[in-house]
Amino acid sequence: MQTRPITMDFIHELISYFYWYFRPIIKGFLRLTTRLCELQRICYGEPKGGPRTCGVENSMILSRDPDIVKVIKSLDEQISVGAFKSTQTEKEVLVNAVNTILVTKRIKRDLHRQFEVSLRHCLRQIWGYKQLVQEVEKLRSEGFDSENLEHERTLLQLWALLQPGIPLTTRKTKQWQNIGFQGEDPKTDFRGMGTLGLENLIYFAREYNSTAKHILSHSHHPKHGYSFAIVGINLTHMAYRLLNEGCAKSHMFNVTDAKATLDHFHHLYSYLFVEFDKFWLSEKPRDIMEFNRIRDLFENNVRTLLAEPTTCLKIHIAVENV
Amino acid sequence: MGLLSILRKLKSSPDRELRILLLGLDNAGKTTILKQLASEETTHITPTQGFNIKSVQSDGFKLNVWDIGGQRKIRPYWRNYFENTDILIYVIDSADTKRFEETGHELQELLCEDKLNEVPLLIFANKQDLIGAAAASNIAEGLGLHQIKDRAWQIQACSASSGEGVKDGMEWVCKTVKK
């Protein structure tokens, strides 16, 4: 019983070692026979979006070509200065990177126009994702601060979106518990997710207002209820992990023809909220103490979906009358 | 990985297991203490909906630590976790002076529970790194800890985010159980 996984591990390791060792030879052989380099084979052979962009990224990461390594390094450096936030600088950076690759791979530009366009698009998606990771981290690391007028304004806006027509009696009030905060002041509930948690919630409440209100009403269920905002902040953590670990790549490369932005992250969050609510109710939990167990099951399902390079998560909103 | 786990299995002597219950108001720092005990990252914590559990090895013990959410709505579920508890750890946010009364009240209720009878009590006076944090001695006095006669108890100043003081508290736990 015990030995089997160990031999499997060993075989797996052996295969990956051989693969690493013989990869250049296999690549060289394919290059000779197809007269295309690996990046070209991917760009011509794989469908646009997740399959192609993930393929290009893997190929570049595995590459031992010093010029490719240099391209990766210089693009990574551009992320730290925020080059992918402006269309102009992004374009310049990408043209340079593609040129370097064309030269080092000795690819004739006139013959492979399509490759050039396709590769640039992939690079834009790959490093756009990295820029997004950085942007999201910036929001997360900014703690919620009740002295910050902007933070306070957003928080009050969240209330107004979820509880229209019901004014808050004071800033610190038990009313906050109606939308699922823990106590009288939501400020301590954002914790390690900082303003990212608030930005996620406000996006969901604004862009999918009726759905959010409907889910809020589910969260008030006497038996299967939960704390809307607190669960929301836990889902922010889930979305954040999926993004940071790179699991969200397949979805992000498929959801848009361009590169993923902050709005796409909020959209992923909204998807998680809608689907989690459905999943939670379908599991018929005994009480709220089952939250971690059900969240883990749900997260596993999402990870399985995302493991597929063609996955594009869509928000299915059932039309229901409350 | 494979070899390591085999070695670990060969070596492992049956550690004594301890069931530790971590309670306190919301935002007291229970989950941060739990993560600190397990030597995990403490910067990405979210409010606990339900409970968390972790097993950590310490000083020849296998500590099964149950961290139950402190939100008022969840407190009625605390009692579901009382059974077979070896140690009760109660966490207080030392800077949240406005809720000292509330936290004292919850603690008093716990001390009256039959199922927690004679269970040793460790109080973490957490968040000592914050400005305005009350000293552990003041908290002990405010809570009337000195009137506790029916169990071993200890109050330990700590900062869960930096980890300071957490180890000292756990040393007391292991020492108390060995007696």
Side-chain angles (χ1 to χ4, degrees), chain A residues 129-147:
Chain A
Y129 187 94
K130 294 191 187 187
Q131 189 78 74
L132 175 61
V133 168
Q134 203 207 35
E135 267 178 86
V136 164
E137 181 56 34
K138 198 172 157 232
L139 281 175
R140 189 208 63 79
S141 58
E142 185 182 349
F144 181 87
D145 176 8
S146 35
E147 307 279 297

Side-chain angles (χ1 to χ4, degrees), chain A residues 73-84:
Chain A
K73 203 174 156 234
S74 91
L75 286 173
D76 282 348
E77 280 162 9
Q78 294 294 334
I79 295 299
S80 51
V81 293
F84 282 76

Side-chain angles (χ1 to χ4, degrees), chain A residues 2 6 140 172 181-182 188-193 226-227 230-231 233-234 237 240 287-289 291-292, chain B residues 2 6 9 26-27 43-52 68 70-74 77 81 98:
Chain A
Q2 274 294 317
I6 294 169
R140 189 208 63 79
K172 286 183 188 172
F181 285 102
Q182 294 197 96
T188 55
D189 286 341
F190 294 104
R191 311 248 173 108
M193 289 301 115
Y226 54 85
S227 298
I230 297 305
V231 165
I233 292 164
N234 277 281
H237 193 205
Y240 172 78
D287 53 48
I288 191 60
M289 305 314 273
F291 176 75
N292 275 11
Chain B
I6 290 171
K9 260 181 205 139
D26 52 282
N27 201 39
T43 48
H44 293 166
I45 284 170
T46 54
T48 305
Q49 184 77 314
F51 70 94
N52 302 302
I68 322 286
Q71 182 184 0
R72 192 180 280 277
K73 254 167 112 180
I74 294 183
Y77 295 104
Y81 299 84
K98 280 187 192 135

Side-chain angles (χ1 to χ4, degrees), chain B residues 2-179:
Chain B
L3 192 64
L4 249 173
S5 59
I6 290 171
L7 281 177
R8 215 172 273 151
K9 260 181 205 139
L10 284 175
K11 170 209 154 260
S12 68
S13 51
D15 286 334
R16 193 179 150 197
E17 287 197 30
L18 284 187
R19 182 186 164 96
I20 296 182
L21 195 54
L22 210 52
L23 297 176
L25 302 188
D26 52 282
N27 201 39
K30 296 176 293 298
T31 308
T32 310
I33 286 177
L34 180 74
K35 295 252 177 188
Q36 197 62 256
L37 289 176
S39 312
E40 285 175 20
E41 172 98 63
T42 58
T43 48
H44 293 166
I45 284 170
T46 54
T48 305
Q49 184 77 314
F51 70 94
N52 302 302
I53 174 166
K54 282 191 193 299
S55 291
V56 275
Q57 303 291 136
S58 170
D59 207 4
F61 287 104
K62 184 182 176 205
L63 310 178
N64 298 318
V65 189
W66 295 72
D67 155 35
I68 322 286
Q71 182 184 0
R72 192 180 280 277
K73 254 167 112 180
I74 294 183
R75 286 179 216 162
Y77 295 104
W78 283 1
R79 58 178 58 252
N80 298 353
Y81 299 84
F82 290 164
E83 207 121 12
N84 299 323
T85 295
D86 295 301
I87 298 275
L88 173 63
I89 299 182
Y90 194 77
V91 187
I92 293 174
D93 175 351
S94 311
D96 190 5
T97 47
K98 280 187 192 135
R99 292 207 292 168
F100 276 178
E101 203 185 315
E102 185 181 346
T103 196
H105 175 74
E106 293 292 346
L107 178 63
Q108 277 313 320
E109 298 230 315
L110 290 172
L111 294 179
C112 296
E113 289 288 343
D114 280 344
K115 282 180 181 162
L116 293 176
N117 203 8
E118 292 182 16
V119 171
L121 167 71
L122 170 66
I123 294 174
F124 272 126
N126 190 23
K127 306 200 188 181
Q128 290 296 323
D129 52 307
L130 294 187
I131 303 163
S137 55
N138 292 345
I139 292 175
E141 201 174 315
L143 294 177
L145 294 184
H146 298 279
Q147 286 152 26
I148 302 176
K149 303 282 184 229
D150 58 343
R151 68 187 79 216
W153 64 270
Q154 167 87 350
I155 184 161
Q156 172 68 49
C158 79
S159 161
S161 58
S162 74
E164 218 177 311
V166 174
K167 223 178 152 192
D168 302 292
M170 296 318 286
E171 271 165 18
W172 179 83
V173 165
C174 294
K175 214 171 66 195
T176 308
V177 175
K178 273 179 191 164
K179 268 179 197 166

Side-chain angles (χ1 to χ4, degrees), chain A residues 8-21:
Chain A
M8 289 298 277
D9 274 0
F10 181 70
I11 290 169
H12 196 82
E13 219 162 273
L14 207 66
I15 290 172
S16 55
Y17 178 74
F18 272 104
Y19 181 66
W20 183 83
Y21 196 77

